[in-house]
Amino acid sequence: NVEPRSVPVFPWHSLVPFLAPTQSD
Amino acid sequence: SSLAPVPAPCNPSHFMKGAIIQLATGELKRVEDLQTQDFVRSAEVSGGLKIDSSMVVDIRASQQRPGLVSLHFNVGEQQSKVTIDVPPEHPFFVFGQGWSSCSPERTAQLYGLACHHLQVGDVCVSITLQQQLQPQQQKQPQ
């Protein structure tokens, strides 16, 4: 019997940059 | 059939064509099928995160890190200046256009993901924390 292969699922927010302005701004 | 690109250890596999992405609504979509509304809706549902519009204002080779590109953004309503160094193949989601990078050829080669060419003036999807209300701003319990 073939082991079911688990497919990784990624959260949506891992795809977009977190661009928080640095304090100096 | 063309061989599926193999994620090198340094290449994030969530950008690999066919990667399964879970939206805040619980819906599952492939990375190549995502649309602007998916990010906007997910931020609304997720509560603590906010979608910002980040306009690319300059693209140049990184001085500090050879091989990377420095992307200069104006972020959000405040137009805050943010600069990040990324590999040229790193994909960004551009409002109304979709995935874009500084080297679409390398993005296709490494991730199998079709991209537009990222340009100055493109407005990218970025996230930031939802501004917490100041205590005095919080509604008093009725």
Side-chain angles (χ1 to χ4, degrees), chain B residues 22-64:
Chain B
Q22 180 155 38
L23 306 180
T25 54
E27 184 185 357
L28 299 178
K29 289 185 99 169
R30 295 188 185 287
V31 64
E32 63 268 25
D33 297 332
L34 291 172
Q35 298 172 331
T36 304
Q37 193 53 26
D38 295 322
F39 294 103
V40 172
R41 180 89 189 101
S42 289
E44 285 166 358
V45 168
S46 67
L49 295 174
K50 176 166 79 85
I51 290 287
D52 264 336
S53 301
S54 295
M55 178 178 283
V56 179
V57 293
D58 194 12
I59 302 174
R60 59 183 63 199
S62 170
Q63 301 301 317
Q64 286 79 15

Coordinates of all heavy atoms in Angstrom, one line a residue, chain B residues 22-64:
Chain B
Q22 N -3.1 28.6 1.5 CA -4.4 28.7 2.2 C -4.7 30.1 2.5 O -3.9 30.9 3.1 CB -4.3 27.9 3.5 CG -5.6 28.0 4.3 CD -5.8 26.9 5.3 OE1 -4.9 26.4 5.9 NE2 -7.1 26.4 5.3
L23 N -5.9 30.6 2.0 CA -6.3 32.0 2.3 C -6.9 32.0 3.7 O -7.2 31.0 4.3 CB -7.4 32.4 1.2 CG -6.9 32.2 -0.2 CD1 -8.0 32.6 -1.2 CD2 -5.6 33.0 -0.5
A24 N -7.1 33.2 4.2 CA -7.6 33.4 5.6 C -9.0 32.9 5.7 O -9.5 32.5 6.7 CB -7.6 34.9 6.0
T25 N -9.7 32.8 4.5 CA -11.1 32.2 4.5 C -11.1 30.7 4.6 O -12.1 30.1 4.7 CB -11.8 32.6 3.2 OG1 -10.9 32.2 2.1 CG2 -12.0 34.1 3.1
G26 N -9.9 30.1 4.5 CA -9.8 28.6 4.5 C -9.7 28.0 3.1 O -9.3 26.9 2.9
E27 N -10.0 28.9 2.1 CA -10.0 28.4 0.7 C -8.5 28.0 0.4 O -7.6 28.7 0.8 CB -10.5 29.5 -0.2 CG -10.6 29.1 -1.7 CD -11.0 30.3 -2.5 OE1 -11.3 31.4 -2.0 OE2 -11.1 30.1 -3.8
L28 N -8.3 27.0 -0.5 CA -7.0 26.6 -1.0 C -6.9 27.0 -2.4 O -7.8 26.7 -3.2 CB -6.8 25.1 -0.8 CG -6.9 24.6 0.6 CD1 -6.7 23.0 0.6 CD2 -5.8 25.2 1.5
K29 N -5.8 27.6 -2.8 CA -5.5 28.0 -4.2 C -4.1 27.7 -4.6 O -3.2 27.7 -3.7 CB -5.8 29.5 -4.5 CG -7.3 29.8 -4.4 CD -7.6 31.3 -4.8 CE -8.0 31.4 -6.2 NZ -8.5 32.8 -6.6
R30 N -3.8 27.5 -5.8 CA -2.4 27.4 -6.3 C -1.8 28.8 -6.4 O -2.5 29.7 -6.7 CB -2.3 26.7 -7.6 CG -2.8 25.2 -7.6 CD -2.6 24.5 -8.9 NE -3.2 23.2 -8.9 CZ -2.7 22.2 -8.2 NH1 -1.6 22.4 -7.4 NH2 -3.3 21.0 -8.2
V31 N -0.5 28.9 -6.1 CA 0.1 30.2 -6.0 C 0.0 30.9 -7.4 O -0.3 32.1 -7.4 CB 1.6 30.0 -5.7 CG1 2.4 29.3 -6.7 CG2 2.3 31.4 -5.4
E32 N 0.0 30.2 -8.5 CA -0.1 30.9 -9.8 C -1.5 31.3 -10.1 O -1.8 32.1 -11.0 CB 0.4 29.9 -10.9 CG -0.4 28.6 -11.1 CD 0.1 27.5 -10.3 OE1 0.8 27.7 -9.2 OE2 -0.1 26.3 -10.7
D33 N -2.5 30.9 -9.3 CA -3.9 31.3 -9.5 C -4.4 32.4 -8.6 O -5.6 32.8 -8.7 CB -4.8 30.1 -9.3 CG -4.5 28.9 -10.3 OD1 -4.0 29.2 -11.4 OD2 -4.7 27.8 -10.0
L34 N -3.5 32.9 -7.8 CA -4.0 34.0 -6.8 C -4.3 35.2 -7.6 O -3.7 35.6 -8.6 CB -2.9 34.2 -5.8 CG -2.6 33.1 -4.8 CD1 -1.4 33.3 -3.9 CD2 -3.9 32.8 -3.9
Q35 N -5.3 36.0 -7.0 CA -5.7 37.3 -7.5 C -5.6 38.3 -6.4 O -5.6 38.0 -5.3 CB -7.1 37.2 -8.1 CG -7.2 36.2 -9.2 CD -8.7 35.9 -9.7 OE1 -9.6 36.0 -8.9 NE2 -8.8 35.6 -10.9
T36 N -5.6 39.6 -6.9 CA -5.5 40.7 -5.9 C -6.5 40.5 -4.8 O -6.2 40.7 -3.6 CB -5.7 42.0 -6.6 OG1 -4.8 42.2 -7.7 CG2 -5.6 43.2 -5.7
Q37 N -7.8 40.2 -5.2 CA -8.9 40.1 -4.2 C -8.6 39.1 -3.1 O -9.0 39.2 -2.0 CB -10.2 39.8 -5.0 CG -11.4 40.0 -4.1 CD -11.5 41.4 -3.5 OE1 -10.9 42.3 -4.0 NE2 -12.2 41.5 -2.4
D38 N -7.8 38.0 -3.5 CA -7.5 37.0 -2.5 C -6.7 37.6 -1.3 O -7.0 37.3 -0.1 CB -6.7 35.9 -3.1 CG -7.5 35.1 -4.2 OD1 -8.7 34.9 -4.0 OD2 -6.9 34.8 -5.2
F39 N -5.8 38.5 -1.6 CA -5.0 39.1 -0.6 C -5.8 40.1 0.2 O -5.8 40.1 1.5 CB -3.7 39.8 -1.2 CG -2.8 38.8 -1.8 CD1 -2.7 38.7 -3.2 CD2 -1.9 38.1 -1.0 CE1 -1.8 37.8 -3.7 CE2 -1.0 37.2 -1.6 CZ -1.0 37.0 -2.9
V40 N -6.6 40.9 -0.5 CA -7.4 41.9 0.2 C -8.4 41.3 1.1 O -8.5 41.6 2.3 CB -8.1 42.8 -0.9 CG1 -9.1 43.7 -0.2 CG2 -7.1 43.6 -1.7
R41 N -9.1 40.2 0.6 CA -10.1 39.5 1.4 C -9.4 38.8 2.6 O -10.0 38.9 3.7 CB -10.8 38.5 0.5 CG -11.9 37.7 1.2 CD -13.2 38.4 1.1 NE -14.2 37.7 1.9 CZ -14.6 38.2 3.2 NH1 -14.1 39.3 3.6 NH2 -15.5 37.5 3.9
S42 N -8.3 38.2 2.4 CA -7.6 37.5 3.5 C -7.2 38.5 4.6 O -7.3 38.2 5.8 CB -6.4 36.8 3.0 OG -6.8 35.6 2.2
A43 N -6.7 39.7 4.2 CA -6.3 40.6 5.3 C -7.6 41.1 6.1 O -7.5 41.2 7.3 CB -5.6 41.8 4.6
E44 N -8.7 41.3 5.3 CA -9.9 41.7 6.0 C -10.3 40.7 7.1 O -10.6 40.9 8.2 CB -11.1 41.9 5.0 CG -11.0 43.1 4.2 CD -11.9 43.1 3.0 OE1 -12.6 42.0 2.8 OE2 -12.0 44.1 2.2
V45 N -10.3 39.4 6.6 CA -10.7 38.3 7.5 C -9.7 38.1 8.7 O -10.1 37.7 9.8 CB -10.9 37.0 6.7 CG1 -11.1 35.8 7.6 CG2 -12.0 37.2 5.7
S46 N -8.4 38.3 8.4 CA -7.4 37.9 9.4 C -7.4 38.8 10.6 O -6.9 38.5 11.6 CB -6.0 37.8 8.8 OG -5.6 39.1 8.4
G47 N -8.0 40.1 10.4 CA -8.1 40.9 11.6 C -6.8 41.7 11.9 O -6.7 42.9 11.6
G48 N -5.7 41.0 12.3 CA -4.5 41.7 12.8 C -3.6 42.3 11.7 O -2.7 43.1 12.0
L49 N -3.9 41.9 10.4 CA -3.0 42.3 9.4 C -3.7 43.3 8.4 O -4.9 43.2 8.3 CB -2.5 41.1 8.5 CG -1.6 40.1 9.3 CD1 -1.4 38.9 8.4 CD2 -0.3 40.7 9.7
K50 N -2.9 44.2 7.8 CA -3.5 45.2 6.9 C -2.7 45.1 5.6 O -1.5 45.0 5.6 CB -3.3 46.6 7.6 CG -3.8 47.7 6.7 CD -3.9 49.0 7.5 CE -2.6 49.7 7.8 NZ -2.1 50.5 6.7
I51 N -3.5 45.2 4.5 CA -2.8 45.3 3.2 C -2.3 46.7 2.9 O -3.1 47.7 3.1 CB -3.8 44.8 2.0 CG1 -4.1 43.4 2.1 CG2 -3.2 45.2 0.7 CD1 -2.9 42.4 1.7
D52 N -1.1 46.9 2.5 CA -0.6 48.2 2.1 C -0.3 48.2 0.6 O 0.0 47.1 0.1 CB 0.7 48.5 2.9 CG 0.4 49.4 4.1 OD1 -0.6 50.1 4.2 OD2 1.2 49.3 5.1
S53 N -0.4 49.4 0.0 CA 0.0 49.6 -1.3 C 1.4 50.1 -1.3 O 1.7 51.2 -0.7 CB -0.9 50.6 -2.1 OG -2.2 50.1 -2.1
S54 N 2.4 49.3 -1.8 CA 3.8 49.8 -1.8 C 4.3 50.0 -3.2 O 4.4 49.1 -4.0 CB 4.6 48.7 -1.1 OG 4.2 48.5 0.2
M55 N 4.5 51.3 -3.5 CA 4.9 51.6 -4.9 C 6.4 51.5 -5.0 O 7.2 52.0 -4.2 CB 4.5 53.1 -5.3 CG 5.0 53.4 -6.7 SD 4.5 55.0 -7.2 CE 2.8 54.7 -7.6
V56 N 6.9 50.8 -6.1 CA 8.3 50.7 -6.4 C 8.8 52.1 -6.9 O 8.2 52.6 -7.9 CB 8.6 49.6 -7.5 CG1 10.1 49.6 -7.8 CG2 8.1 48.3 -7.0
V57 N 9.7 52.7 -6.3 CA 10.2 54.0 -6.7 C 11.6 54.0 -7.3 O 12.1 54.9 -8.0 CB 10.1 55.1 -5.6 CG1 8.7 55.4 -5.2 CG2 10.9 54.6 -4.4
D58 N 12.3 52.8 -7.0 CA 13.7 52.7 -7.6 C 14.1 51.2 -7.5 O 13.7 50.5 -6.5 CB 14.7 53.6 -6.8 CG 16.0 53.7 -7.6 OD1 16.1 53.4 -8.7 OD2 17.0 54.2 -6.9
I59 N 14.8 50.8 -8.5 CA 15.4 49.4 -8.6 C 16.8 49.6 -9.0 O 17.1 50.2 -10.0 CB 14.6 48.6 -9.6 CG1 13.1 48.5 -9.3 CG2 15.2 47.2 -9.6 CD1 12.3 47.8 -10.4
R60 N 17.7 49.1 -8.1 CA 19.2 49.1 -8.5 C 19.9 47.9 -7.9 O 19.4 47.3 -7.0 CB 19.8 50.4 -8.1 CG 19.7 50.7 -6.6 CD 20.2 52.0 -6.2 NE 19.4 53.1 -6.8 CZ 19.9 54.4 -6.9 NH1 21.1 54.6 -6.5 NH2 19.2 55.3 -7.5
A61 N 21.1 47.6 -8.5 CA 21.9 46.5 -7.9 C 22.2 46.9 -6.5 O 22.5 48.1 -6.2 CB 23.1 46.3 -8.8
S62 N 22.2 45.9 -5.6 CA 22.5 46.2 -4.2 C 24.0 46.5 -4.1 O 24.9 45.8 -4.7 CB 22.2 44.9 -3.4 OG 22.7 45.1 -2.1
Q63 N 24.3 47.5 -3.4 CA 25.7 47.9 -3.1 C 26.3 46.9 -2.1 O 27.5 46.5 -2.2 CB 25.8 49.3 -2.6 CG 25.3 50.4 -3.5 CD 26.0 50.3 -4.9 OE1 27.2 50.3 -5.0 NE2 25.2 50.4 -6.0
Q64 N 25.5 46.6 -1.0 CA 26.0 45.8 0.1 C 26.1 44.4 -0.3 O 27.0 43.7 0.2 CB 25.1 45.9 1.3 CG 25.2 47.3 2.1 CD 24.4 48.4 1.4 OE1 23.6 48.1 0.5 NE2 24.7 49.6 1.7

